[in-house]
Amino acid sequence: MRLSVYGAAGEVTGSCYVLETARARVMIDFGLHQGGREEDEHNRTRVPPDLRRFDAVVVTHAHIDHIGRLPLLAGAGFSGPIYASDATADLIPIMLRDTARLQEADAARDLRRQGPEKARPALYTSDEVEKILPRVRRVPMQSLTEIAPGVKVRLVDSGHMLGSASIELRAADGPGTPERVIIFSGDIGPWGMPLLRDPRCPAPADGVKVDLAIMESTYGDRDHRPLGETVEEANNIVREATWDKQRLLIPAFAVGRSQVIVYYLGLIIQSGRAPRFPVYLDSPMAIEAMELYKRHTELLDADAHAQIQAGTFPLDIPELRYCRSAEESKRLNDASGALAIIAGSGMCNGGRIIHHLRHGLWRKDVQVIIAGYQAAGTLGRQLVDGAKEVRIFGDTIPVRAKVHTLGGFSAHAGRTDLIRWATDLHKAASPRQWILTHGEDRQRRLLGEGLAPILGQTPAMPAFADHFEL
Ligand SMILES: [Zn+2]
């Protein structure tokens, strides 16, 4: 059998793997490439062959760089099941509908600007999203489930976002032929973040050896700032801004980062160290995700459970206001006094945060808090890199707002946690071969150098369409 890498090879986005055995063809993740025009092109050109002929798809988690191209399967005539954890299955419609809307809006804008000759159509439409949603099937965490002839998967909590999983995949070419075991790390969360449980080791429960381990390497070159320091820095920024009646703009992924930020802003307000100020969650998607945190308390950590037992849900803070409609969002332009706006997208490459940045970046009484990964080519990356001016919707906007980058709120494990994860898996299941993906080349090379003495091998760093025989 053969495992091929069709995305996130030397880059962070576009995750996609294909396993082909003598009797089944399975895809693991089908994510969107995110960034600029080049990445957009890759969404159209770097696609596995024969999308129609897959028996099943399984996804690690609901981030768009892991599920964002599933609707292409609808267009190609795929009619098999798409397996996901319970919470991921709840998140997929929210995430994909939003992505289709953003793409349709981008395509319409492109058409106005470039004309019909040069304009690029949307990668897929809302209709294609609706066609793919009925294909989603729920698999329970922790138990082995057969998803295609001779192919079983077990999902294990990876501590990265609500419902996120590492996958243990077992496949046999035929009855009586030996099973091969592959571990997909998915995205690995950091240890010690609030709300979600820490990552669990996905080593097979029955002690069988792993043939191939495929591991993410997003932050393979460095550790994040310690969480405690980051929280203290956030405290100081928020206190200074709110005492000065300034506006805080916080681009954040709707699911995960937004909730962590709400959680910490709640703590700051409750501590009494800042004046009380409204926190606007300006994202219908993030609001829906808040509800899913309440529905999936089984995924929350011990501290969250202790709070729930005591009668309060960790994300219920009195200052929180929901902005559901675009009108409510626009009205925030006229609001005065100290306030915080949390809006998507997390990398500032779309969504309502763009409007807030357009109205706020040129102002000295605005502070921007960047608290997540910013892919190359995104507006968020330009801000992190200290751009003095940026282009938004064709206008040049000078950057006078203070831009802060907070390293410690990442939903991704830093280098030390990645090495911990790999060491645990190595000790429990000594994978025969290791592959690093989902990281820029520098990051995965440096992680590979750090792992080599522990694993007794230098992990492979596949390029697009490279494959591994098992
Ligand atoms: Zn992710």
Side-chain angles (χ1 to χ4, degrees), residues 299-322:
L299 300 173
L300 303 185
D301 65 13
D303 286 349
H305 277 278
Q307 277 195 55
I308 294 166
Q309 294 268 298
T312 55
F313 192 74
L315 294 171
D316 283 340
I317 64 168
E319 289 73 16
L320 187 61
R321 316 265 183 276
Y322 286 164

Side-chain angles (χ1 to χ4, degrees), residues 146-448:
E146 181 156 32
I147 63 164
V151 182
K152 288 176 269 183
V153 293
R154 184 174 68 97
L155 273 52
V156 181
D157 209 327
S158 76
H160 166 68
M161 84 179 296
L162 199 70
S164 67
S166 299
I167 295 177
E168 174 198 341
L169 184 149
R170 296 183 181 209
D173 274 320
T177 58
E179 256 186 352
R180 301 286 179 226
V181 182
I182 307 174
I183 299 289
F184 298 87
S185 71
D187 287 2
I188 302 166
W191 269 257
M193 282 295 273
L195 300 170
L196 293 184
R197 285 199 305 247
D198 291 340
R200 291 186 178 181
C201 179
D206 55 5
V208 300
K209 297 288 179 233
V210 166
D211 295 281
L212 183 62
I214 301 170
M215 182 186 177
E216 69 121 322
S217 55
T218 316
Y219 288 99
D221 62 330
R222 62 190 185 277
D223 276 317
H224 306 301
R225 279 190 74 188
L227 184 59
E229 278 177 30
T230 304
V231 171
E232 194 47 42
E233 189 183 354
N235 264 315
N236 293 336
I237 296 165
V238 171
R239 279 162 58 200
E240 185 198 309
T242 51
W243 284 117
D244 288 347
K245 298 192 167 36
Q246 293 187 349
R247 169 176 297 226
L248 287 161
L249 298 182
I250 311 173
F253 284 121
V255 187
R257 194 66 37 78
S258 290
Q259 287 73 31
V260 166
I261 288 166
V262 166
Y263 174 85
Y264 280 117
L265 289 177
L267 288 188
I268 294 172
I269 294 170
Q270 279 159 28
S271 74
R273 292 167 74 199
R276 292 193 169 268
F277 60 93
V279 174
Y280 292 96
L281 191 57
D282 184 15
S283 160
M285 233 167 111
I287 295 166
E288 282 186 80
M290 294 291 265
E291 297 308 313
L292 292 182
Y293 272 75
K294 291 182 184 173
R295 195 186 303 167
H296 292 285
T297 52
E298 79 280 3
L299 300 173
L300 303 185
D301 65 13
D303 286 349
H305 277 278
Q307 277 195 55
I308 294 166
Q309 294 268 298
T312 55
F313 192 74
L315 294 171
D316 283 340
I317 64 168
E319 289 73 16
L320 187 61
R321 316 265 183 276
Y322 286 164
C323 288
R324 287 195 166 84
S325 69
E327 286 66 38
E328 288 169 294
S329 175
K330 281 180 193 143
R331 240 177 277 145
L332 293 178
N333 288 337
D334 306 322
S336 57
L339 59 95
I341 300 172
I342 304 166
S345 75
M347 297 197 276
C348 311
N349 52 345
R352 292 180 180 178
I353 195 66
I354 298 283
H355 294 277
H356 296 302
L357 290 170
R358 191 189 197 189
H359 286 275
L361 278 179
W362 56 274
R363 286 167 53 171
K364 283 195 166 146
D365 59 346
V366 166
Q367 305 209 27
V368 181
I369 299 180
I370 305 266
Y373 183 81
Q374 308 297 315
T378 60
L379 174 58
R381 180 69 160 259
Q382 292 174 45
L383 293 175
V384 166
D385 289 345
K388 294 278 178 279
E389 54 180 43
V390 292
R391 299 277 292 174
I392 299 180
F393 294 150
D395 295 328
T396 301
I397 314 280
V399 180
R400 297 198 192 101
K402 238 190 228 175
V403 177
H404 308 270
T405 307
L406 293 185
F409 287 145
S410 177
H412 281 276
R415 178 180 168 89
T416 301
D417 281 346
L418 287 174
I419 290 175
R420 172 181 181 170
W421 186 93
T423 304
D424 287 351
L425 181 60
H426 172 70
K427 280 186 188 152
S430 45
R432 250 190 283 281
Q433 185 170 12
W434 285 80
I435 296 178
L436 295 181
T437 58
H438 201 291
E440 289 168 15
D441 271 335
R442 186 189 128 78
Q443 279 69 16
R444 61 176 181 165
R445 182 173 48 76
L446 290 173
L447 180 62

Side-chain angles (χ1 to χ4, degrees), residues 61 63 65-66 160 187 412:
H61 65 291
H63 278 148
D65 62 323
H66 293 258
H160 166 68
D187 287 2
H412 281 276

